[in-house]
Amino acid sequence: MSPRRNRPKGAASSGGSAADEPSGRYGGWQSTESWQGEEWSVRHVAGASAEGKTYRCPGCDQMIPSGVPHVVAWPEHAGVDDRRHWHKACWNAKDRRTLRVQRSRNAPRF
């Protein structure tokens, strides 16, 4: 019996750009978006790639638990140190949020 073919025969010759192709390392795709007058690189991270790691979302100042799919964004001109991990909903709502995140009295400050 021959192995099952999971891809269409013409999949290798699709006309997508390199930025829209899936990233094997992070399990998602990378694109470029414009925000606050800058170009931002945005990478969608699969939950399996984030296993064992927690991050703090700059949009809502809450923790992103281990294994949760999320978005990593950074300005194109910046380096690795400027990458920030966002909840997908927070990244999509970034233009509707206030500039200063309101914390409760008991919230930890990181």
Side-chain angles (χ1 to χ4, degrees):
M1 178 188 273
S2 62
R4 180 177 169 187
R5 184 174 292 192
N6 290 328
R7 297 182 200 177
K9 290 183 179 182
S13 62
S14 64
S17 67
D20 294 333
E21 289 181 10
S23 169
R25 180 176 178 191
Y26 297 102
W29 66 91
Q30 184 169 335
S31 61
T32 303
E33 294 183 23
S34 181
W35 182 48
Q36 294 182 339
E38 291 186 84
E39 293 297 315
W40 288 69
S41 294
V42 180
R43 180 175 293 150
H44 297 264
V45 178
S49 300
E51 195 67 37
K53 303 171 194 167
T54 59
Y55 303 100
R56 182 163 298 275
C57 174
C60 64
D61 201 37
Q62 299 295 314
M63 295 302 289
I64 301 173
S66 172
V68 173
H70 60 278
V71 174
V72 179
W74 65 95
E76 286 215 341
H77 70 277
V80 175
D81 294 336
D82 292 325
R83 290 185 299 183
R84 296 294 174 257
H85 296 255
W86 295 68
H87 292 106
K88 288 183 181 183
C90 294
W91 177 255
N92 292 336
K94 64 191 174 298
D95 294 328
R96 297 187 302 266
R97 292 190 177 273
T98 61
L99 295 177
R100 186 165 171 89
V101 175
Q102 300 295 320
R103 296 184 184 96
S104 68
R105 249 183 228 184
N106 298 330
R109 299 193 185 269
F110 292 94

